[in-house]
Amino acid sequence: GAVVSQHPSWVICKSGTSVKIECRSLDFQATTMFWYRQFPKQSLMLMATSNEGSKATYEQGVEKDKFLINHASLTLSTLTVTSAHPEDSSFYICSAPQGKKGGTEAFFGQGTRLTVV
Amino acid sequence: QKEVEQDPGPLSVPEGAIVSLNCTYSNSAFQYFMWYRQYSRKGPELLMYTYSSGNKEDGRFTAQVDKSSKYISLFIRDSQPSDSATYLCAMGRGSNYQLIWGAGTKLIIKP
């Protein structure tokens, strides 16, 4: 199957700093990517849809100025957590869809564990 | 009411047992259905993908879709400790790439 690479896999940062997470589709082009957040023992929560060449679409309750998304190319989307606070500590996962018969299939990155201290 | 309902568990079964995981949904527009497996602190990985009612088998895994009842299942035969993970169902419709996710069921296979 297709490969999505997410980097870094884990990061620790101080409160008030910004952290950038990269999501790359390695062997296919992705005009759309999704960014999820997952708290311990909970399911994936969609944060935003990243669209190549245009603005991201944010889900209700997600601060667009805090979670900056850039989708500058067909293979790269970035999520920047700005002015991070301890409550931003979470597991962030990106996915890129690929069309297939009958619908679509989502390929996921490895996830990024963010700890804000 | 959530669009997709999934019992979070945990579900604990002995090694070798047949496991049944289920999701129900309310939107009849869903056209394709998936099961993902997620190990702790890892991204989900696709196990099964189906877009029609009926059964689909892949090794020890069988995905079942009943569109009339809005019910999907994942069966795992000869379960093994390495199957211990969280299993998430997901579904989508049309050309919309956005998936709707279940809460995930934590499965524990006891040796």
Side-chain angles (χ1 to χ4, degrees):
Chain A
V3 178
V4 174
S5 177
Q6 188 174 341
H7 177 81
S9 57
W10 62 272
V11 58
I12 301 174
C13 70
K14 292 183 178 180
S15 287
T17 60
S18 296
V19 174
K20 179 185 282 188
I21 303 170
E22 293 187 347
C23 182
R24 294 181 184 272
S25 55
L26 296 186
D27 51 0
F28 68 104
Q29 294 181 332
T31 56
T32 300
M33 290 187 179
F34 298 104
W35 287 96
Y36 294 88
R37 185 172 181 175
Q38 188 176 34
F39 291 104
K41 301 183 181 181
Q42 294 188 28
S43 188
L44 303 169
M45 184 191 77
L46 180 65
M47 298 175 65
T49 302
S50 173
N51 304 299
E52 188 270 335
S54 63
K55 291 182 179 180
T57 304
Y58 290 82
E59 296 300 301
Q60 190 174 10
V62 178
E63 299 176 60
K64 63 178 69 175
D65 294 330
K66 180 167 186 62
F67 299 99
L68 300 179
I69 291 174
N70 183 283
H71 196 148
S73 77
L74 290 171
T75 60
L76 174 64
S77 174
T78 61
L79 168 68
T80 302
V81 182
T82 63
S83 186
H85 290 282
E87 56 264 32
D88 297 326
S89 299
S90 190
F91 193 55
Y92 293 86
I93 310 174
C94 69
S95 81
Q98 189 176 48
K100 63 185 297 178
K101 183 178 181 181
T104 188
E105 180 176 342
F107 295 93
F108 285 85
Q110 304 94 317
T112 298
R113 168 102 19 220
L114 171 62
T115 301
V116 184
V117 298
Chain B
Q1 182 188 10
K2 294 180 182 178
E3 280 194 281
V4 179
E5 297 278 0
Q6 183 177 11
D7 187 336
L11 175 63
S12 182
V13 301
E15 183 176 359
I18 296 175
V19 175
S20 173
L21 303 165
N22 312 295
C23 287
T24 59
Y25 61 97
S26 57
N27 191 338
S28 58
F30 287 133
Q31 296 174 307
Y32 47 93
F33 308 87
M34 283 160 275
W35 286 95
Y36 284 81
R37 177 175 63 194
Q38 185 178 24
Y39 292 110
S40 181
R41 303 193 179 197
K42 299 289 185 182
E45 57 177 324
L46 181 68
L47 281 178
M48 300 289 283
Y49 173 94
T50 58
Y51 59 89
S52 58
S53 283
N55 293 352
K56 181 178 181 180
E57 189 173 317
D58 184 0
R60 296 186 295 112
F61 299 92
T62 300
Q64 186 177 79
V65 173
D66 183 345
K67 289 187 178 181
S68 61
S69 300
K70 300 189 183 67
Y71 188 90
I72 66 171
S73 299
L74 177 71
F75 298 98
I76 307 174
R77 292 184 299 280
D78 188 24
S79 57
Q80 300 166 8
S82 59
D83 294 327
S84 298
T86 296
Y87 290 79
L88 299 126
C89 65
M91 44 199 80
R93 51 186 183 267
S95 59
N96 184 338
Y97 287 141
Q98 188 176 119
L99 299 177
I100 307 300
W101 294 86
T105 299
K106 183 176 176 64
L107 174 65
I108 301 169
I109 306 297
K110 298 176 292 184

